[in-house]
Amino acid sequence: MFLAIMGGKKLWTIGGGLVVALVAVYVYIGVDVSPHVEFVPETTALPEDTVPDPPSAYGIPLSGFILEQGKVKPGATFSDLLAPQGIGGGTIDSLVRMAASVFDIHRIRAGHPYALIFTDDDQRMPAYFVYEADQVDHVIFTLRPPMSVTIGKRPVHTEEKSLCVAVTGALWNDLAKAGADPAVAMKLSEVFAWTVDFYRIQKGDRFTVVYRERTVDGEPYGDPEVLGVRYQGAFTRDAFRFAPDQGELAYFDSAGNSLRKAFLQAPLKYSRISSGFTLRRFHPVQKRMKAHLGTDYAAPYGTPILAVGDGTVEKAGYSAGNGNFVKIRHNGVYETQYLHMRKILVRNGQRVQQGQTIGEVGSTGLATGPHVCFRFWKNGEQVDHRREVFPSAEPLAAADRPAFQKVRDELLARMDEAEREAAQHTSTATF
Ligand SMILES: [Zn+2]
């Protein structure tokens, strides 16, 4: 049985013909290569059910009942939902009291789905009210004596998957074509935030990923978790998720070195490079040849700008050329600067952490459109950060190594398997 809630109206179908309205979360990861399809995986259609399941909803058998579903309207209270069904104030008060130990009825929120279940007879008596607190939990109010309030849970399905994709265009698109939740692309950019420059990914580069995905009734539940990943391009990088005995869950390379580095590869998560570091370029506003001692990342107005490393704000201010800008001193060697902000979110002297939002993308100062001009100093000299090799965080302790190696070897075997499978598909594909 399958329930689809559409536009606040009830719609439930029994058995086959599942129509899942997929809300695709489009995560754009800028890869400047034109998309073309190299391999389209075969899709297997869901088998049509021929024998309908006995109807039930929220674990309540629906034989002899009618189900009506809706969404809580803004400002609606528990009694607004029940009183129009002819349920008296005394009954509502009792239900509120009975609910107290399992659910606070003041937590009913607009937009959440609810269901009313009536007897399927002339009287059409309300028998149950069900409020969906989240994707998993629902509160079941039994409205007829003996009244009760219980919490029901939908099962969460966890599945581990592996795949290998060749980059043909935007990474999220390639992952989606391979059947993965596009959110995996976002997770990959986080895992490799220190070690892979996502602006340098080329067509034909490959990602092999082992990940864990949770679903409730076929819908994604929470973010996917990347367990292991291998990137193969101009160089190879791999990452294995591991929890050291004393320490947080983190990603390590095959030698047990933390992937965490002193600096992120870029100050924005998703954007594209509109102008690289160069000693000569035609300045779009000043209309003359000029050195460009920074890297421009184009992104929509308001995109969060991240501190690429821990440090102290040396200057947060405005100048005619730079617009609103922030300069951060990271240590005795490195400084970074972020220009043309719409909004500055830090102040002079403030300590900032790697990945912290320090401002919003804008076009203040000499800028033709919304972008961040990112500048990087090493020992007081402006350098191209994309050519720098950054220092790493601490490697794994010796005591953690045997457990790590076990995790790593299992993941490596699954990645190899995924690559073999992808190679087979590719060799039989026709173009
Ligand atoms: Zn610039």
Side-chain angles (χ1 to χ4, degrees):
M1 205 210 78
F2 182 72
L3 290 166
I5 300 148
M6 308 184 97
K9 279 196 291 271
K10 73 160 178 172
L11 176 74
W12 60 276
T13 58
I14 299 168
L18 305 192
V19 182
V20 180
L22 281 180
V23 180
V25 180
Y26 289 147
V27 178
Y28 178 78
I29 295 198
V31 179
D32 283 334
V33 290
S34 60
H36 87 252
V37 177
E38 282 186 344
F39 161 62
V40 179
E42 46 200 275
T43 50
T44 42
L46 288 170
E48 291 272 320
D49 285 352
T50 45
V51 182
D53 293 330
S56 72
Y58 308 105
I60 302 164
L62 288 183
S63 170
F65 293 97
I66 298 172
L67 173 78
E68 268 189 18
Q69 290 182 300
K71 287 191 176 166
V72 178
K73 293 199 169 63
T77 63
F78 184 60
S79 72
D80 292 340
L81 291 160
L82 292 185
Q85 311 306 329
I87 296 169
T91 306
I92 291 173
D93 287 346
S94 309
L95 288 167
V96 170
R97 271 197 305 278
M98 290 168 77
S101 61
V102 289
F103 179 73
D104 176 3
I105 56 103
H106 296 107
R107 279 174 50 213
I108 288 182
R109 292 283 174 268
H112 281 235
Y114 70 84
L116 279 158
I117 298 171
F118 299 94
T119 57
D120 188 11
D121 54 23
D122 293 344
Q123 303 206 307
R124 211 177 130 78
M125 296 285 287
Y128 301 95
F129 172 74
V130 183
Y131 171 72
E132 297 194 23
D134 59 36
Q135 244 179 306
V136 172
D137 287 353
H138 44 268
V139 193
I140 302 169
F141 298 85
T142 305
L143 305 175
R144 297 186 301 180
M147 293 192 299
S148 67
V149 181
T150 54
I151 300 282
K153 283 181 187 292
R154 286 197 173 91
V156 179
H157 181 69
T158 302
E159 201 175 347
E160 285 188 11
K161 296 180 173 178
S162 55
L163 57 83
C164 173
V165 293
V167 173
T168 64
L171 181 56
W172 67 262
N173 197 16
D174 291 319
L175 286 164
K177 272 190 283 181
D181 181 340
V184 170
M186 185 176 69
K187 292 288 151 191
L188 292 182
S189 71
E190 287 170 12
V191 172
F192 283 139
W194 298 273
T195 50
V196 173
D197 184 347
F198 274 73
Y199 307 101
R200 269 193 201 156
I201 292 171
Q202 301 288 320
K203 191 163 78 177
D205 290 0
R206 287 190 300 164
F207 284 90
T208 309
V209 195
V210 180
Y211 64 102
R212 188 181 290 155
E213 176 174 273
R214 288 177 300 165
T215 51
V216 173
D217 285 349
E219 301 280 345
Y221 177 65
D223 282 337
E225 297 169 272
V226 171
L227 306 179
V229 53
R230 179 189 291 149
Y231 163 73
Q232 293 169 94
F235 50 83
T236 298
R237 292 280 180 274
D238 44 24
F240 306 92
R241 194 173 77 147
F242 179 71
D245 206 25
Q246 315 275 325
E248 284 174 35
L249 203 59
Y251 291 92
F252 300 87
D253 68 13
S254 54
N257 296 311
S258 170
L259 289 200
R260 229 188 132 77
K261 298 220 165 154
F263 300 105
L264 298 175
Q265 291 277 341
L268 298 178
K269 274 192 180 170
Y270 320 108
S271 61
R272 65 188 172 81
I273 288 179
S274 48
S275 181
F277 185 101
T278 167
L279 296 175
R280 275 175 74 79
R281 76 154 178 178
F282 186 73
H283 194 282
V285 177
Q286 295 174 326
K287 310 281 184 211
R288 61 186 174 92
M289 295 305 285
K290 204 182 166 188
H292 184 234
L293 303 179
T295 304
D296 289 345
Y297 292 90
Y301 283 105
T303 304
I305 300 169
L306 315 176
V308 296
D310 295 351
T312 305
V313 176
E314 202 168 59
K315 181 98 182 116
Y318 179 88
S319 78
N322 294 347
N324 292 320
F325 71 94
V326 169
K327 190 170 186 183
I328 298 172
R329 171 160 288 286
H330 298 285
N331 49 40
V333 178
Y334 297 108
E335 293 158 282
T336 55
Q337 195 183 18
Y338 314 74
L339 312 184
H340 313 306
M341 291 179 171
R342 176 172 83 173
K343 208 176 196 180
I344 295 174
L345 297 171
V346 290
R347 43 177 210 286
N348 284 330
Q350 185 179 334
R351 286 284 309 162
V352 292
Q353 287 184 328
Q354 186 177 66
Q356 185 176 333
T357 301
I358 55 170
E360 291 177 357
V361 170
S363 57
T364 55
L366 280 182
T368 47
H371 76 284
V372 187
C373 182
F374 176 65
R375 299 181 167 201
F376 195 92
W377 279 264
K378 186 178 184 181
N379 295 317
E381 198 179 318
Q382 281 187 272
V383 296
D384 184 354
H385 74 287
R386 299 171 78 218
R387 291 176 186 275
E388 293 295 308
V389 177
F390 299 137
S392 275
E394 288 288 289
L396 274 176
D400 285 317
R401 301 239 161 199
F404 169 72
Q405 280 155 9
K406 188 164 173 285
V407 168
R408 176 198 64 190
D409 292 347
E410 279 171 18
L411 288 168
L412 280 173
R414 292 167 70 182
M415 288 195 244
D416 290 345
E417 174 65 29
E419 281 173 22
R420 273 196 298 276
E421 225 163 81
Q424 275 172 13
H425 278 289
T426 308
S427 61
T428 54
T430 50
F431 299 102

